[in-house]
Amino acid sequence: MTISKFPPAASAALLILVSGLALSPESFPGESRCSLPSAYDLRDAAGRSYVTPVKRQCGLLEDGRPDFGIAVGTCTFMANLSSLESSLLRQGITDDPESPSSILSSWHLGCHVGYNDPVYEFNPQTMPGSDPPVPISYQQNPDGTGGWGGNVEWTIDYLAGGGGPVLDWRAPVPLDDMQARLTLTPPPAVLPVDYMLRAALIFSREDHPEGAEGDEEFRGVVKGAVMEHGAVTGMMFTEAGDYPGQTGHSFYDPATADFYCDSEALVNYFIHAVAIAGWDDGRPVAGAPGPGAWLIKNSLGPGYGEGGYIWISYHDTVFLKGASSAYAFIADDGRGYARPRYQTHAGALSYWEEEGYWIYRSDGFNSSGLDSWAAARFIASANGLLRAVGLVTLNRNEEVTIEVYDRWDGGATRPEGLLLSDTVAVAEAGYHVLDLSGPVPVRKGREFVIAAGFAAKGPGAEEPLVYVTDEGDPPPPGLTYRASSAPGSGWSAWSDYHSLHGGSVFYLQGIMDDSGELAAPASGDYDGDGKSEIAVFRPADGLWAVRGLGRVYFGEAGDVPVSGDYDGDGITDLAVVRPSAGLWAVKGITRLYFGGPRDRPVPGDYDGDGTCDPAVFGRTSGRWAVRGVTRAYFGLPSDEPVPADYGGAGRTEPAVFRESVGLWAVRGLTRVYFGGTADRPVPGVYGWYASGKSSAPFRDGIAVFRPASGLWAIRGGSRSYFGQTGDLPVTGDFTGSSLDGIGIFRGSSGLWAVQGVTRAYFGSASDVPVTR
């Protein structure tokens, strides 16, 4: 086992060190790392500000300065979110630093990050080392337990899992209650999430030579990160005398807002987290052996320093020295990425019992000079498109190969059925969301496998495979595996991670496209002969292939197929939706915009005029919208839309299937219970109903397919077994009888089987059937 080179940046603002005892713990145009200016300030960079207002984690003295005796130790979360907020501004995701849409909640993050023990009761006990004495306040319980502070990686884990960030106005720090010394109330754990973490880059001082040359080199790396990404988190040492109202030794000069710790004995004592917002190479700092200082955004409010900012000398013995790291949190607007995510563990950190803190554990597995591989098995909870993979890298300039497979072969103990392989260069260590070169379809109830391979690196590199051990939530066996690889010889035998390191799991995420489940085609007669054709769509490159007719490219990677008869000529038209833009494109007929990234396309003939209508179901609202026809709310956002002609009136009715209870609800017609958890709804015209006042000769019936057993059950009709686990059900009028036959598509082999009609091989595991 190898311990991560990124040590715990333990921090709780205003928790001080007394007698050696810790009480608690797109660059701008023309700019690049190769041409760093001598001074830089994110508050005014090329005429714009890329920092949000200074936050406050404490109460106030009568003169408006921060009150050392009323505080919550949320500095780590404020500094990290200052970096993320700056990234939002830097990328143009938001454009006003003071807008509520730009400011994120450190209170929500601190209360729910999951690794710390927040304190909500005011503790009047005196803080050791303070002079005059001040209360410990909300930093520790009277019995010595509890504490807000923690290392920066806690934030990475929490944001990577999709639990935040939350906007500050939804969960502000309860400053008035703190000032009054009341019991604080945590915000709800689940609140709307407006953005996501795209990456958290970790810049380690230990990646550079020892001494002054390495310090200068590391300063250049951090400066480049500030210019490229925005504010960067760093860790400093403080003591009681550095705060207003306190006497005793201080490293802080309130007259100049300069800070300089000159004690070599304090190296690696990281007490307080702050955000780096710039620098000045020529700034003199009293007592320091040379000029130069970092511009620091603090979390003590605008009454401390220069409007909340201070300057830390380049020569400070703690800040960006020793085993320290700097962290850049990179934001994304989150559009197109689904939450929650498939992941092998809730976070990438493990608790190191011997040292009493959380770390990244690495595998120690490429010491033989071979490539290191890990694979993770997932069961799809819904049909959809795999869009990206999330993982942690421990080296700079890592080469990572991401492969997606159709299944895990238990007999051979290896992934099988390669669907996609990408190799990407990852420049910095840390957490990364790596987009796939094309979306990969996954099927509800069916396994898929993600493998990650790291190219062998030279001596001194961190071993790459990050695994998690968790006694509180031990992983079951058979989730993740490890192998080595060499050119020409392929993989070694795969070992179950559960058998390694006392029970463990490789950390990996599968991130879905937010377009939701793949739309069902409204029809499947591509030549107008009255019969459904065997046909597939390949999401990776927009290929349409219809058996017996031909192949054509229409659409691009990430598009969702929505074929149907959009012009009423009796022939199914090729059509796609581009969810990110709300674009509907029907080949040779029309292009229009309808719906958006959080809508699921549900085309059908909703007005009975013989043409297919663009329509969407809101995955966050339960709203049905049919272009030019109607808008209505029906069902829950979690329901699966199953529109069809249930009344036989020649038009499509909005309908939903609630898998958890087996409920079918057809708007304006009926509510019935049929099927249940893990069943796939497969409405279709399975019988002839003759004629009468309340019936039509042909109408869609309620039916389910049970993948675990291959059961087809039609309400009021037959039950039969056809297919097996992993098969995707398909229905269509394959004989021209006006009745739907039951069939399956087995992507692993490209098999199409229609009961009593045909068996054929057409398509592959990465294809989506577009037959109705």
Side-chain angles (χ1 to χ4, degrees), residues 460-767:
E462 281 288 311
E463 310 303 338
L465 302 184
V466 175
Y467 70 92
V468 184
T469 58
D470 188 344
E471 293 183 0
D473 184 22
L479 291 181
T480 61
Y481 295 80
R482 183 187 77 178
S484 61
S485 177
S489 59
W491 286 323
S492 67
W494 288 83
S495 301
D496 185 349
Y497 256 98
H498 193 267
S499 67
L500 306 170
H501 317 302
S504 56
V505 63
F506 174 68
Y507 176 74
L508 194 69
Q509 291 179 320
I511 304 171
M512 302 301 293
D513 192 284
D514 198 27
S515 59
E517 295 190 14
L518 300 175
S523 59
D525 181 4
Y526 290 88
D527 60 1
D529 66 352
K531 300 178 184 179
S532 296
E533 269 76 45
I534 290 173
V536 296
F537 173 75
R538 190 162 295 162
D541 55 13
L543 170 68
W544 293 76
V546 183
R547 187 169 181 257
L549 294 181
R551 297 156 61 94
V552 68
Y553 288 89
F554 185 71
E556 62 182 41
D559 289 349
V560 175
V562 286
S563 53
D565 184 3
Y566 288 87
D567 58 2
D569 64 356
I571 298 175
T572 296
D573 304 301
L574 307 187
V576 295
V577 166
R578 194 159 298 153
S580 60
L583 170 67
W584 291 67
V586 185
K587 190 173 190 293
I589 297 177
T590 189
R591 289 169 62 92
L592 55 92
Y593 291 88
F594 190 71
R598 299 191 182 277
D599 292 328
R600 178 181 173 182
V602 284
D605 183 4
Y606 289 86
D607 55 6
D609 66 353
T611 63
C612 188
D613 304 304
V616 294
F617 174 73
R619 296 178 60 245
T620 59
S621 64
R623 184 189 69 172
W624 292 75
V626 184
R627 186 172 185 268
V629 179
T630 188
R631 301 167 78 91
Y633 289 87
F634 186 71
L636 302 176
S638 58
D639 292 342
E640 182 169 354
V642 285
D645 182 9
Y646 294 95
R651 62 174 178 267
T652 301
E653 282 97 18
V656 296
F657 174 65
R658 192 164 300 159
E659 178 185 326
S660 59
V661 293
L663 171 67
W664 291 72
V666 184
R667 187 170 183 259
L669 288 180
T670 189
R671 290 169 63 91
V672 300
Y673 291 87
F674 191 75
T677 302
D679 288 345
R680 294 295 315 281
V682 283
V685 181
Y686 295 106
W688 178 60
Y689 295 91
S691 58
K693 292 182 179 180
S694 61
S695 64
F698 299 103
R699 62 178 184 268
D700 285 281
I702 291 171
V704 297
F705 171 71
R706 188 163 297 162
S709 61
L711 170 68
W712 290 74
I714 301 168
R715 184 172 182 265
S718 65
R719 292 169 62 92
S720 61
Y721 291 87
F722 192 73
Q724 63 186 36
T725 300
D727 290 346
L728 189 67
V730 291
T731 60
D733 180 7
F734 294 96
T735 62
S737 65
S738 298
L739 298 179
D740 284 328
I742 64 175
I744 58 94
F745 173 65
R746 189 168 297 160
S748 59
S749 61
L751 171 67
W752 287 73
V754 181
Q755 190 179 47
V757 179
T758 189
R759 287 172 63 91
Y761 290 89
F762 193 75
S764 65
S766 62
D767 295 339

Side-chain angles (χ1 to χ4, degrees), residues 255-283:
T256 61
D258 290 334
F259 190 98
Y260 170 52
C261 174
D262 60 354
S263 173
E264 295 289 344
L266 294 174
V267 173
N268 296 336
Y269 280 90
F270 304 118
I271 298 299
H272 183 45
V274 292
I276 304 171
W279 64 87
D280 184 346
D281 291 344
R283 184 181 180 93

